[in-house]
């Protein structure tokens, strides 16, 4: 049997000695921790030194519920039961649950959504007569600001070496420059609602090839997002109703709410008028 000698308890540090211990304690840096917040029934993690959300993608059902609520609330309308039935879960792109939802993984999510044809849709640089027209992206990203639009484009760097993505916002960008860029093949475009609509209005930006519209859910430092920043929100719904609503109903494209969806996405009560198609 192995005998174990009992160790003597350490002597208490005197007040004099405790002063000399303080510098030693200061040398030990605390580990960087990740905060956890609740997003409905989902757990969202954020790095203290980053503004990027690491969040499991919302289901098609959750995206649908939030979108319909915002659609009715922002436009002060009440959709009829027939109109509600026409906007289905299949209208929303359900992303892989195995990937986080941040800038770095956006490229992977889009590649998965296009399946085996991702390279042809997102990387090829040549126009194809009768199939790939100039200025017609396959993926359109809509954000609340120019800075956020640029940030999201960084997630596509490896896909846009041959065919550059286009920046579709007004900050430091002239319409003429963008029109010139849109005369070539475009696979990915990222911008703000107002400038995107203007470029569609003047027939510089085509929408016939759009398969996925990524709606950026990121909130800025003041808590505003695409759906809550007053002027931008109104411009988005104007763009959506004018150019994308019918195409969504026809099944020509899918919406993808990218980022954490706020709580309170239950459909609200009746409004005063019917939706203007």
């Amino acid at each position: 049997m192995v005998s174990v000698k009992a160790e003597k308890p350490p002597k208490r540090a005197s007040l004099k000695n405790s002063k000399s211990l303080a510098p030693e304690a200061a040398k030990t840096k605390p580990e960087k921790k990740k905060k956890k917040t609740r997003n409905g029934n989902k757990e969202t993690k954020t790095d203290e030194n980053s503004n990027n959300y690491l969040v499991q993608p919302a289901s098609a059902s959750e995206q649908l519920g939030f979108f319909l609520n915002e659609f009715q609330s922002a436009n002060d309308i009440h959709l009829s039961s027939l109109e509600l039935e026409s906007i289905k879960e299949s209208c929303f792109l359900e992303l892989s649950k195995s990937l986080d939802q941040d800038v770095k993984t956006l490229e992977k999510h889009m590649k998965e959504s296009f399946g085996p044809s991702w390279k042809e849709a997102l990387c090829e640089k040549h126009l194809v007569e009768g199939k790939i027209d100039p200025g017609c992206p396959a993926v359109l990203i809509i954000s609340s600001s120019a800075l956020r639009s640029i940030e999201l484009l960084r997630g596509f760097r490896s896909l846009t070496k041959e065919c550059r993505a286009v920046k579709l916002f007004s900050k430091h960008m002239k319409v003429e420059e963008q029109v010139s860029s849109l005369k070539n093949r475009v696979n990915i475009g990222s911008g703000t609602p107002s400038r995107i609509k203007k470029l569609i209005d003047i027939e510089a930006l085509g929408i016939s090839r759009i398969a996925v519209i990524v709606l950026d859910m990121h909130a800025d430092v003041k808590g505003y997002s695409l759906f809550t920043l007053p002027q931008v929100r109104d411009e988005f719904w104007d763009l959506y109703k004018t150019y994308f609503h019918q195409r969504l109903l026809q099944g020509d494209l899918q919406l993808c709410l990218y980022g954490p969806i706020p709580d309170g996405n239950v459909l609200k009560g009746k409004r005063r008028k019917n939706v203007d198609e």
Side-chain angles (χ1 to χ4, degrees):
M1 191 174 200
V2 181
S3 61
V4 181
K5 291 183 179 180
E7 293 183 0
K8 293 182 180 180
K11 292 182 179 179
R12 275 187 171 180
S14 64
L15 185 61
K16 187 176 181 179
N17 290 334
S18 66
K19 290 182 180 178
S20 63
L21 293 173
E24 286 295 320
K27 290 180 182 178
T28 307
K29 293 183 179 180
E31 292 183 4
K32 292 178 181 178
K33 295 181 180 179
K34 289 183 178 180
K35 293 181 179 178
K36 294 182 180 180
T37 57
R38 287 283 169 188
N39 178 37
N41 294 323
K42 297 180 180 297
E43 190 175 74
T44 304
K45 298 179 182 178
T46 58
D47 192 305
E48 287 180 345
N49 297 322
S50 172
N51 289 325
N52 293 332
Y53 282 93
L54 304 176
V55 59
Q56 192 179 61
S59 67
S61 175
E62 289 169 325
Q63 293 182 66
L64 173 64
F66 175 83
F67 189 81
L68 288 177
N69 178 51
E70 291 298 312
F71 185 72
Q72 293 184 107
S73 177
N75 295 286
D76 195 26
I77 57 176
H78 173 63
L79 295 172
S80 67
S81 57
L82 185 62
E83 289 166 329
L84 288 171
E85 287 173 7
S86 64
I87 306 176
K88 303 174 182 177
E89 289 184 16
S90 58
C91 296
F92 294 84
L93 180 63
E94 192 158 322
L95 303 178
S96 171
K97 302 291 185 184
S98 63
L99 294 171
D100 284 322
Q101 210 171 359
D102 61 7
V103 172
K104 293 179 181 178
T105 56
L106 181 55
E107 173 188 312
K108 294 178 182 178
H109 281 300
M110 290 302 104
K111 283 167 68 174
E112 282 195 10
S113 69
F114 278 87
S117 64
W118 68 265
K119 199 165 187 179
E120 180 185 348
L122 304 175
C123 300
E124 294 294 334
K125 64 178 181 178
H126 299 293
L127 294 169
V128 181
E129 190 174 348
K131 186 179 178 183
I132 310 294
D133 295 324
C136 292
V139 174
L140 181 64
I141 306 166
I142 306 178
S143 303
S144 61
S145 70
L147 287 175
R148 183 61 182 169
S149 299
I150 293 172
E151 187 177 355
L152 286 169
L153 280 182
R154 293 194 184 108
F156 288 102
R157 278 178 176 172
S158 67
L159 301 181
T160 55
K161 292 177 181 178
E162 295 295 320
C163 183
R164 294 180 64 185
V166 291
K167 299 171 184 175
L168 308 171
F169 47 78
S170 58
K171 192 171 185 177
H172 306 308
M173 298 285 292
K174 294 181 179 179
V175 171
E176 293 76 18
E177 294 176 57
Q178 291 164 329
V179 169
S180 179
S181 298
L182 291 166
K183 289 180 180 178
N184 304 306
R185 173 162 174 163
V186 174
N187 296 326
I188 299 165
S190 180
T192 52
S194 179
R195 180 53 61 91
I196 289 172
K197 185 174 185 298
K198 184 175 182 64
L199 290 167
I200 298 175
D201 287 343
I202 62 175
E203 299 183 351
L205 177 64
I207 62 173
S208 61
R209 187 172 162 245
I210 297 174
V212 178
I213 297 179
V214 177
L215 303 179
D216 180 29
M217 299 297 295
H218 175 79
D220 62 20
V221 292
K222 294 182 179 179
Y224 288 113
S225 69
L226 178 66
F227 289 95
T228 58
L229 190 59
Q231 184 177 345
V232 174
R233 176 197 62 200
D234 295 343
E235 290 166 350
F236 166 72
W237 288 116
D238 184 30
L239 167 66
Y240 170 78
K241 290 187 294 182
T242 304
Y243 290 111
F244 300 136
H245 186 64
Q246 285 301 321
R247 289 180 56 78
L248 186 78
L249 298 183
Q250 293 164 7
D252 295 332
L253 58 82
Q254 286 182 299
L255 299 180
C256 173
L257 275 60
Y258 198 75
I261 293 179
D263 293 335
N265 57 346
V266 180
L267 289 178
K268 292 188 176 180
K270 292 186 176 181
R271 296 288 176 173
R272 291 195 297 268
K273 54 186 179 182
N274 288 327
V275 64
D276 182 6
E277 298 290 339

